[in-house]
Amino acid sequence: RCMQDTFFIDHKYKVLLRTHTSPVQVRLMKSMKPPIRAIMPGRVYRNESITARALAEFHQMEGLYINKNVSFAELKGTVIAFAQQMYGHDINYRFRASYFPFTEPSAEMDITCFLCKGKGCRVCKYSGWLEVVGCGMVHPNVLTECGIDPEEYSGYAFGFGIERVAMLLHGIDDARMLYENDVRMLRQL
Protein backbone atom coordinates (compact mmCIF):
# COMPACT_ATOMS: atom_id res chain seq x y z
CA ARG A 1 0.00 0.00 0.00
CA CYS A 2 1.01 3.57 -0.62
CA MET A 3 2.64 5.38 2.33
CA GLN A 4 -0.10 8.03 2.20
CA ASP A 5 -2.74 5.35 2.84
CA THR A 6 -1.12 3.73 5.86
CA PHE A 7 -1.60 4.72 9.47
CA PHE A 8 1.21 2.95 11.33
CA ILE A 9 4.33 1.19 10.23
CA ASP A 10 6.61 -0.30 12.85
CA HIS A 11 9.85 -0.84 10.95
CA LYS A 12 11.44 -2.83 13.78
CA TYR A 13 8.65 -5.43 13.92
CA LYS A 14 7.43 -4.93 10.34
CA VAL A 15 3.87 -4.26 11.45
CA LEU A 16 1.43 -2.48 9.19
CA LEU A 17 -2.13 -1.96 10.32
CA ARG A 18 -4.46 -2.90 7.50
CA THR A 19 -5.91 -0.11 5.39
CA HIS A 20 -8.64 -2.30 3.87
CA THR A 21 -10.30 -5.62 4.62
CA SER A 22 -9.41 -6.73 1.06
CA PRO A 23 -6.68 -9.19 2.17
CA VAL A 24 -9.50 -11.41 3.45
CA GLN A 25 -10.83 -11.61 -0.12
CA VAL A 26 -7.50 -12.89 -1.42
CA ARG A 27 -7.28 -15.56 1.29
CA LEU A 28 -10.81 -16.69 0.43
CA MET A 29 -10.11 -16.86 -3.30
CA LYS A 30 -6.91 -18.85 -2.67
CA SER A 31 -8.58 -21.31 -0.29
CA MET A 32 -12.04 -21.78 -1.88
CA LYS A 33 -13.32 -22.82 -5.25
CA PRO A 34 -16.07 -20.75 -6.92
CA PRO A 35 -18.82 -19.97 -6.42
CA ILE A 36 -17.67 -17.69 -3.59
CA ARG A 37 -20.02 -15.41 -1.69
CA ALA A 38 -18.66 -13.60 1.35
CA ILE A 39 -19.13 -10.56 3.56
CA MET A 40 -16.05 -9.42 5.48
CA PRO A 41 -16.37 -6.83 8.24
CA GLY A 42 -13.33 -5.44 9.99
CA ARG A 43 -11.57 -2.46 11.51
CA VAL A 44 -9.21 -0.52 9.25
CA TYR A 45 -6.62 2.20 9.80
CA ARG A 46 -5.69 4.97 7.38
CA ASN A 47 -3.61 8.09 7.40
CA GLU A 48 -6.63 10.34 6.97
CA SER A 49 -7.39 13.79 8.25
CA ILE A 50 -10.08 13.39 10.88
CA THR A 51 -13.10 15.40 9.77
CA ALA A 52 -16.87 15.38 10.14
CA ARG A 53 -17.04 12.72 7.42
CA ALA A 54 -13.75 10.78 7.76
CA LEU A 55 -11.90 8.98 10.52
CA ALA A 56 -8.39 7.50 10.68
CA GLU A 57 -9.78 4.33 12.29
CA PHE A 58 -13.11 2.97 11.17
CA HIS A 59 -15.03 -0.18 10.33
CA GLN A 60 -15.39 -1.47 6.81
CA MET A 61 -17.66 -4.13 5.37
CA GLU A 62 -16.54 -5.70 2.13
CA GLY A 63 -18.38 -8.12 -0.08
CA LEU A 64 -17.10 -10.55 -2.69
CA TYR A 65 -18.96 -12.63 -5.26
CA ILE A 66 -17.19 -14.93 -7.74
CA ASN A 67 -19.10 -17.20 -10.12
CA LYS A 68 -19.62 -17.89 -13.81
CA ASN A 69 -20.94 -14.98 -15.89
CA VAL A 70 -21.06 -12.38 -13.09
CA SER A 71 -21.74 -8.95 -14.58
CA PHE A 72 -21.31 -5.31 -13.64
CA ALA A 73 -25.11 -5.02 -13.83
CA GLU A 74 -25.35 -7.56 -10.98
CA LEU A 75 -22.86 -5.52 -8.97
CA LYS A 76 -24.89 -2.36 -9.49
CA GLY A 77 -28.09 -4.17 -8.55
CA THR A 78 -26.50 -5.50 -5.35
CA VAL A 79 -25.22 -2.16 -4.07
CA ILE A 80 -28.40 -0.33 -5.11
CA ALA A 81 -30.51 -2.94 -3.26
CA PHE A 82 -28.33 -2.50 -0.15
CA ALA A 83 -28.63 1.29 -0.29
CA GLN A 84 -32.41 1.10 -0.78
CA GLN A 85 -32.77 -1.32 2.15
CA MET A 86 -30.73 0.99 4.36
CA TYR A 87 -31.98 4.39 3.25
CA GLY A 88 -35.34 3.79 1.52
CA HIS A 89 -36.48 3.07 -2.00
CA ASP A 90 -36.92 6.74 -2.87
CA ILE A 91 -33.24 7.67 -2.57
CA ASN A 92 -31.41 9.31 -5.44
CA TYR A 93 -28.12 7.68 -6.35
CA ARG A 94 -25.44 7.91 -8.98
CA PHE A 95 -22.41 5.87 -10.04
CA ARG A 96 -19.08 7.51 -10.82
CA ALA A 97 -16.11 5.91 -12.52
CA SER A 98 -13.27 5.44 -10.04
CA TYR A 99 -9.99 3.61 -9.66
CA PHE A 100 -9.16 0.76 -7.31
CA PRO A 101 -6.03 -1.30 -8.07
CA PHE A 102 -7.71 -4.71 -7.82
CA THR A 103 -10.91 -4.07 -9.79
CA GLU A 104 -11.62 -3.11 -13.39
CA PRO A 105 -13.90 -1.37 -14.07
CA SER A 106 -14.23 0.40 -10.74
CA ALA A 107 -16.93 2.76 -9.50
CA GLU A 108 -18.21 4.63 -6.48
CA MET A 109 -21.87 5.05 -5.67
CA ASP A 110 -23.14 8.28 -4.14
CA ILE A 111 -26.54 8.98 -2.66
CA THR A 112 -28.18 12.30 -2.00
CA CYS A 113 -26.91 13.46 1.38
CA PHE A 114 -29.47 12.45 3.97
CA LEU A 115 -28.43 15.16 6.37
CA CYS A 116 -28.98 18.18 4.12
CA LYS A 117 -31.35 16.55 1.57
CA GLY A 118 -28.98 17.49 -1.26
CA LYS A 119 -28.66 21.19 -0.39
CA GLY A 120 -25.03 20.90 0.76
CA CYS A 121 -23.44 20.60 4.20
CA ARG A 122 -20.02 19.94 5.73
CA VAL A 123 -20.53 16.16 5.66
CA CYS A 124 -21.13 16.06 1.88
CA LYS A 125 -18.55 18.81 1.27
CA TYR A 126 -21.41 21.07 0.16
CA SER A 127 -22.00 18.94 -2.95
CA GLY A 128 -25.34 17.40 -1.92
CA TRP A 129 -23.90 13.90 -2.55
CA LEU A 130 -22.22 11.43 -0.24
CA GLU A 131 -20.17 8.43 -1.34
CA VAL A 132 -21.48 5.27 0.30
CA VAL A 133 -19.66 2.43 -1.50
CA GLY A 134 -16.61 1.73 -3.60
CA CYS A 135 -16.96 -1.24 -5.94
CA GLY A 136 -15.79 -2.95 -9.08
CA MET A 137 -15.32 -6.14 -11.04
CA VAL A 138 -12.47 -8.27 -9.70
CA HIS A 139 -9.49 -7.75 -12.01
CA PRO A 140 -8.70 -10.86 -14.11
CA ASN A 141 -5.07 -10.71 -12.89
CA VAL A 142 -6.29 -11.03 -9.29
CA LEU A 143 -8.35 -14.08 -10.22
CA THR A 144 -5.37 -15.64 -12.00
CA GLU A 145 -3.03 -15.01 -9.04
CA CYS A 146 -5.58 -16.69 -6.76
CA GLY A 147 -5.80 -19.78 -8.97
CA ILE A 148 -9.19 -18.92 -10.50
CA ASP A 149 -9.53 -19.04 -14.29
CA PRO A 150 -10.75 -15.59 -15.47
CA GLU A 151 -11.94 -17.16 -18.73
CA GLU A 152 -14.42 -19.25 -16.73
CA TYR A 153 -15.19 -17.02 -13.73
CA SER A 154 -15.73 -13.36 -13.01
CA GLY A 155 -16.78 -11.51 -9.91
CA TYR A 156 -17.29 -8.28 -8.08
CA ALA A 157 -16.24 -6.70 -4.81
CA PHE A 158 -17.54 -3.75 -2.82
CA GLY A 159 -16.77 -1.94 0.41
CA PHE A 160 -18.92 0.19 2.72
CA GLY A 161 -17.74 2.32 5.64
CA ILE A 162 -19.96 1.26 8.52
CA GLU A 163 -19.63 4.56 10.39
CA ARG A 164 -20.87 6.45 7.33
CA VAL A 165 -23.86 4.11 7.09
CA ALA A 166 -24.61 4.75 10.78
CA MET A 167 -24.26 8.51 10.32
CA LEU A 168 -26.82 8.54 7.54
CA LEU A 169 -29.23 6.19 9.32
CA HIS A 170 -29.22 8.20 12.53
CA GLY A 171 -28.80 11.73 11.14
CA ILE A 172 -25.38 12.25 12.72
CA ASP A 173 -23.51 15.17 11.16
CA ASP A 174 -20.06 14.42 12.56
CA ALA A 175 -18.40 10.98 12.49
CA ARG A 176 -16.26 11.90 15.50
CA MET A 177 -19.38 11.89 17.66
CA LEU A 178 -19.54 8.11 17.32
CA TYR A 179 -16.36 7.78 19.42
CA GLU A 180 -16.52 10.67 21.89
CA ASN A 181 -18.45 8.74 24.58
CA ASP A 182 -20.90 11.59 25.02
CA VAL A 183 -23.71 9.94 26.98
CA ARG A 184 -26.33 12.12 25.25
CA MET A 185 -25.19 10.78 21.90
CA LEU A 186 -24.96 7.19 23.04
CA ARG A 187 -28.52 7.30 24.41
CA GLN A 188 -29.82 8.27 20.97
CA LEU A 189 -28.38 5.18 19.31
Side-chain angles (χ1 to χ4, degrees), residues 3-178:
M3 286 295 292
Q4 294 87 290
D5 286 345
T6 60
F7 187 56
F8 282 151
I9 297 180
D10 185 330
H11 292 288
K12 181 178 178 184
Y13 298 106
K14 297 184 180 182
V15 173
L16 168 65
L17 297 178
R18 68 179 175 194
T19 56
H20 300 274
T21 51
S22 302
V24 178
Q25 293 181 27
V26 172
R27 286 194 293 277
L28 285 174
M29 286 187 280
K30 285 187 169 212
S31 66
M32 297 176 70
K33 294 196 181 308
I36 300 170
R37 293 175 190 91
I39 297 291
M40 295 136 298
R43 192 166 180 94
V44 297
Y45 308 85
R46 295 188 190 164
N47 185 17
E48 299 260 355
S49 297
I50 298 172
T51 67
R53 63 183 270 137
L55 301 167
E57 302 174 37
F58 61 97
H59 295 84
Q60 189 174 56
M61 182 191 73
E62 290 200 17
L64 175 68
Y65 176 49
I66 308 287
N67 206 346
K68 294 180 180 180
N69 303 313
V70 176
S71 69
F72 194 80
E74 288 177 274
L75 166 59
K76 285 179 71 174
T78 299
V79 296
I80 290 168
F82 174 85
Q84 288 177 334
Q85 285 290 84
M86 295 303 289
Y87 309 120
H89 288 276
D90 59 341
I91 62 165
N92 292 318
Y93 57 85
R94 67 181 184 188
F95 281 82
R96 292 179 288 109
S98 189
Y99 171 77
F100 301 108
F102 306 114
T103 58
E104 180 60 37
S106 303
E108 291 179 308
M109 185 175 116
D110 304 325
I111 65 169
T112 301
C113 182
F114 247 53
L115 302 172
C116 67
K117 307 294 187 237
K119 293 179 181 151
C121 66
R122 68 183 181 161
V123 174
C124 65
K125 295 183 182 178
Y126 302 96
S127 70
W129 294 94
L130 193 58
E131 183 241 319
V132 292
V133 63
C135 57
M137 298 301 291
V138 178
H139 198 291
N141 292 342
V142 172
L143 295 172
T144 300
E145 288 298 317
C146 292
I148 298 172
D149 182 358
E151 296 294 321
E152 186 176 358
Y153 294 100
S154 55
Y156 61 75
F158 57 83
F160 288 90
I162 295 173
E163 281 81 355
R164 185 153 308 158
V165 171
M167 287 174 65
L168 292 170
L169 280 177
H170 297 288
I172 299 167
D173 67 355
D174 193 324
R176 297 169 286 202
M177 294 174 74
L178 295 167

